[in-house]
């Protein structure tokens, strides 16, 4: 059963039949069995080879190290299985360092209905590396927004949101908008698409992310109402521990959330508003 929000997306999208076949392409790379890099896109057949080559190059040249094992999966997607939608609004919250960034992100999560216990335990897990042994997870933690309990079955793998992408028109509109504020980079673009899909999942009330890429210190929180709130600092430069948490409302149907995140195809064809920056005051 689809959420009302998604049903609307299906109806709206079904008015615009896809002209070309769509493929989902996914990459996962590891080193000594530990997660190094992953990527997912939707594309047309003509772009598959170029994207596959770019994903191989990314896995072999990652700042966390060169992958020694790499998988690429390609699946053709049925047009009737594709849901549409728009990316979330974007706001940058200016913070002076990662400690203030984490206080600000915690404050926003509390506002979105995540309990202080759940915020505290989740930030601690991301800071120490949320997979067993303090390693990076391959996917995200699923966290009960009230109790803070972790709900994913496998704490090394987590849950990966896949099978989502942007139309070519939406991508160029997004890039033009992001260029205006110096944010047109692959981290922000990919995070927006991922966040859009996660926010559409039934039962997800918020997301928290900071990258495990040692050269990228920014992170974000999202909620359906406020969209994507970006913090330039959520971790110190050089830190390799990072990850993602999807916060679920109590009683959410976990199997349904996972099935949506892993299987529902979503092609976003619109972007959100770009709001002026906000300076965080503790
Ligand atoms: P990245 O933003 O690519 O540096 O990813 C940071 C962390 O977020 C990764 O180590 C994973 O734990 C998690 N992650 C990355 N991509 C996904 C995804 N598609 N779905 C769920 N979690 C993800």
């Amino acid at each position: 059963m689809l959420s009302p929000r998604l049903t609307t997306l299906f109806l709206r999208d079904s008015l615009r039949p896809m002209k070309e076949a769509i493929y989902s392409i996914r990459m996962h790379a590891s080193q000594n069995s530990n997660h190094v890099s992953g990527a997912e896109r939707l594309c047309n057949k003509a772009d598959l080879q170029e994207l596959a080559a770019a994903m191989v190059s990314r896995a072999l040249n990652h700042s966390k190290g060169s992958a020694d094992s790499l998988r690429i999966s390609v699946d053709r997607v049925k047009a009737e299985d594709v849901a549409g939608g728009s990316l979330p609004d974007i706001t940058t919250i200016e913070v002076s360092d990662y400690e203030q960034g984490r206080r600000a992100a915690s404050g926003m999560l509390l506002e979105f209905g995540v309990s202080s216990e759940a915020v505290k335990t989740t930030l601690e897990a991301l800071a120490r590396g949320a997979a067993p042994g303090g390693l990076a997870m391959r996917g995200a933690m699923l966290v009960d927004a009230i109790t803070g309990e972790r709900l994913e079955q496998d704490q090394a793998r987590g849950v990966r949101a896949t099978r989502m992408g942007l139309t070519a028109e939406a991508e160029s509109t997004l890039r033009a908008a992001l260029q205006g504020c110096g944010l047109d980079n692959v981290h922000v673009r990919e995070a927006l698409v991922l966040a859009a899909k996660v926010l559409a999942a039934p039962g997800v009330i918020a997301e928290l992310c900071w990258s495990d890429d040692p050269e990228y210190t920014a992170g974000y929180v999202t909620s359906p109402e406020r969209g994507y709130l970006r913090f330039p600092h959520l971790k110190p430069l050089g830190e390799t521990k990072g990850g993602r948490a999807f916060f679920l409302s109590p009683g959410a149907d976990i199997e349904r959330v996972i099935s949506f995140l892993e299987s529902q195809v979503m092609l976003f064809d619109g972007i959100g508003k770009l709001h002026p920056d906000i300076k965080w005051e503790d």
Side-chain angles (χ1 to χ4, degrees):
M1 185 56 150
L2 295 166
S3 70
R5 195 157 24 142
L6 193 61
T7 311
T8 320
L9 298 174
F10 262 121
L11 288 178
R12 205 192 63 174
D13 220 61
S14 63
L15 300 175
R16 249 173 310 156
M18 307 283 171
K19 288 193 209 76
E20 283 184 67
I22 292 183
Y23 290 79
S24 152
I25 175 164
R26 297 176 286 152
M27 178 274 283
H28 176 242
S30 56
Q31 190 184 52
N32 300 324
S33 306
N34 297 322
H35 170 79
V36 170
S37 170
E40 36 276 309
R41 292 279 295 266
L42 297 179
C43 65
N44 297 123
K45 193 174 182 177
D47 298 325
L48 273 173
Q49 288 193 17
E50 196 183 324
L51 270 175
M55 286 180 177
V56 172
S57 163
R58 177 164 165 171
L60 296 180
N61 300 299
H62 200 276
S63 50
K64 283 171 71 184
S66 183
D68 57 23
S69 173
L70 164 62
R71 305 262 180 287
I72 292 196
S73 321
V74 176
D75 299 288
R76 186 167 166 169
V77 167
K78 289 195 201 127
E80 64 265 31
D81 291 340
V82 181
S86 282
L87 299 184
D89 287 3
I90 304 170
T91 312
T92 291
I93 313 241
E94 291 170 22
V95 290
S96 47
D97 55 30
Y98 83 94
E99 285 162 326
Q100 189 182 45
R102 289 185 191 177
R103 286 196 296 278
S106 302
M108 297 314 303
L109 288 169
L110 292 173
E111 201 176 285
F112 301 156
V114 181
S115 74
S116 51
E117 178 63 17
V119 169
K120 180 172 171 285
T121 52
T122 304
L123 261 89
E124 283 169 1
L126 286 192
R128 70 168 178 267
L135 296 168
M137 292 175 76
R138 176 173 167 185
M141 296 187 264
L142 293 184
V143 179
D144 182 305
I146 301 305
T147 63
E149 188 191 348
R150 282 175 71 170
L151 304 169
E152 74 279 8
Q153 282 210 333
D154 179 339
Q155 295 197 350
R157 183 182 179 280
V159 177
R160 256 191 104 84
T162 62
R163 298 172 203 268
M164 63 274 180
L166 266 185
T167 61
E169 293 77 14
E171 182 161 358
S172 45
T173 313
L174 177 67
R175 292 196 68 163
L178 291 176
Q179 262 162 27
C181 49
L183 290 181
D184 184 30
N185 63 63
V186 69
H187 291 283
V188 173
R189 292 198 303 270
E190 288 188 356
L192 280 166
V193 175
L194 190 155
K197 179 163 186 197
V198 172
L199 285 177
V204 172
I205 63 163
E207 180 187 350
L208 166 68
C209 165
W210 69 79
S211 176
D212 48 19
D213 181 337
E215 291 166 8
Y216 191 70
T217 63
Y220 65 85
V221 298
T222 64
S223 82
E225 293 73 29
R226 293 294 300 275
Y228 172 90
L229 303 179
R230 177 180 174 275
F231 305 90
H233 312 282
L234 273 191
K235 67 169 201 185
L237 193 66
E239 174 61 71
T240 54
K241 294 190 193 313
R244 280 187 158 83
F246 304 154
F247 293 97
L248 305 187
S249 54
D253 181 339
I254 297 165
E255 293 312 314
R256 191 168 157 231
V257 178
I258 295 175
S259 148
F260 180 94
L261 291 169
E262 293 183 340
S263 311
Q264 174 65 54
V265 185
M266 291 201 78
L267 182 62
F268 298 98
D269 61 2
I271 72 166
K273 279 196 205 132
L274 211 64
H275 296 280
D277 294 1
I278 295 173
K279 188 156 175 39
W280 181 264
E281 307 287 349
D282 273 319

